[in-house]
Amino acid sequence: MNRKAKLLILVLTLVLSVPVIAQARDLPVFTELAAKAGKAVVFISTEKTTQGPSMEQFRQQVPEGHPFYKFFDQFFGPQMQQPRKMLGQGSGFVISPDGLIVTNNHVINGADKVTVRFQDDKKEYPATVVGADQETDLAVIRIKADHTLPTLKFGNSDDIKVGEWVLAIGNPFGLDNTVTAGIISAKHRIIGAGPFDNFLQTDASINPGNSGGPLLDMDGEVIGINTAINAAAENIGFAIPSTQAAKVIALLKEGKAPQRGWLGVTIQQVSDTQAKALGLPEAVGALVASVGKGAPADKGGVKQGDVILEVNGKKVEDNNDLLKKIAGLAPGDEANLVLWRNGEKVTRTVTLGQRNEKAMAAMGPNHQDQGQAATVLGMALKPISDQEAQALGMAKPQGLLVVNVDPNTAASEEGIRQGDVILQANQKDVNSVADLNSVIKSAEKRGAVMLLVTRQGRNSFVALPLDNK
């Protein structure tokens, strides 16, 4: 081998080895972090007592004239009506040496018995629920231990960057203290899990049983609480950001319920077409689809068709952003709103109410006020306003605006979408939900109703079955 060949081999060897050395040097070592943090992660098991299914539900499956009917109660009645125990499991982590533990609300919700077990201590500790918040899916439970417990502390999820390494610890499928590693795949994910979606996405494997466990940065601080998975995908998990969770947990551990502001409006995303029709420079803000009668927004002068652009001087990006900004204020606080109305900005000040089940029910889809949406055949419908008709390019307000569509209904299967307008049913004009219900009632014998639907200036007929309204 000549000198040039030897030199070439030497150069190639050095070049090829550099990335390997650099890569090996950059890979984190998780052993110490996993061992230390794992001591504060717990396995949570639950028991819930449920009543057996009613006899009437099963009896309906057997015709009264059937020979088996008269023996039904004798053979199956006592067995079916017996209470049954449902078992559940999840994860959590200790946040105080005296036994406060954070987990998900869905892990402990409705449980009659909650039990905690540690990795190094196989003793089982009975737990009591200190506080829970369904809307953020967070809960705090407490155990009494005879020694000081190891803890984890919250980090700042706002500082974590996409691509940074993270570690998930939990009990997937009941396998105690399983450790998985990955990176932050994305931030601010909205997955439809609740009203305050703002998830961290990670490719660290998260499975059933991981719920409530910590997502740790490389300093061993909790930057997320593992909560949800995408069952149809591999290595896509979601965690509640620590900065969002910490505020709620601070209240829950004191036995207090979060108090959230409430406007009393239904809102929707502003599309590019709507922004153009409304004269908005860009598709931002939240379009007010309806205003509850007597609600804080109604009292403050907010109108249907307004676009909310700012709250207390902060820009509103979309409807989800508005929801978070308002909920971040307390009942009784004043919200200074910048609205887009009739091609110009106006300001209104609203004294917020309290977001709770009663308030939300008043704004629910079955409310029959003209500004509200009512559900018919799996579609949330409302009479269309002047502003909405203008935004959709209609010559005049007519028909029913589709506010939402249940994806598990024939309406969705037949292609009806949010933003469509139903003009007619069985060739009769429908300008109210009552009009549509009247046509449906008269069409029950046919078993179907024909709708005339308009979308972006194009009309089409859609037939929906009535056998499963």
Side-chain angles (χ1 to χ4, degrees), residues 96-119:
S96 69
D98 60 347
L100 284 177
I101 295 170
V102 171
T103 186
N104 282 138
N105 173 67
H106 75 259
V107 172
I108 54 84
N109 187 37
D112 303 314
K113 180 181 179 181
V114 181
T115 305
V116 168
R117 189 174 71 244
F118 287 83
Q119 176 182 7

Side-chain angles (χ1 to χ4, degrees), residues 225-238:
I225 299 171
N226 302 321
T227 299
I229 60 174
N230 187 330
E234 293 184 8
N235 295 336
I236 297 182
F238 302 96

Side-chain angles (χ1 to χ4, degrees), residues 412-430:
S412 177
E413 292 176 0
E414 293 298 327
I416 295 180
R417 300 290 180 263
Q418 181 185 44
D420 289 350
V421 178
I422 299 175
L423 299 175
Q424 295 182 349
N426 285 355
Q427 297 182 321
K428 295 180 180 179
D429 292 342
V430 288

Side-chain angles (χ1 to χ4, degrees), residues 256-271:
K256 300 176 181 177
Q259 303 292 307
R260 300 184 174 100
W262 180 65
L263 275 175
V265 296
T266 58
I267 53 177
Q268 63 186 75
Q269 191 84 8
V270 179
S271 69

Side-chain angles (χ1 to χ4, degrees), residues 43-46 113-117 124-127 141:
F43 174 81
I44 299 174
S45 58
T46 62
K113 180 181 179 181
V114 181
T115 305
V116 168
R117 189 174 71 244
E124 292 190 342
Y125 296 86
I141 61 177

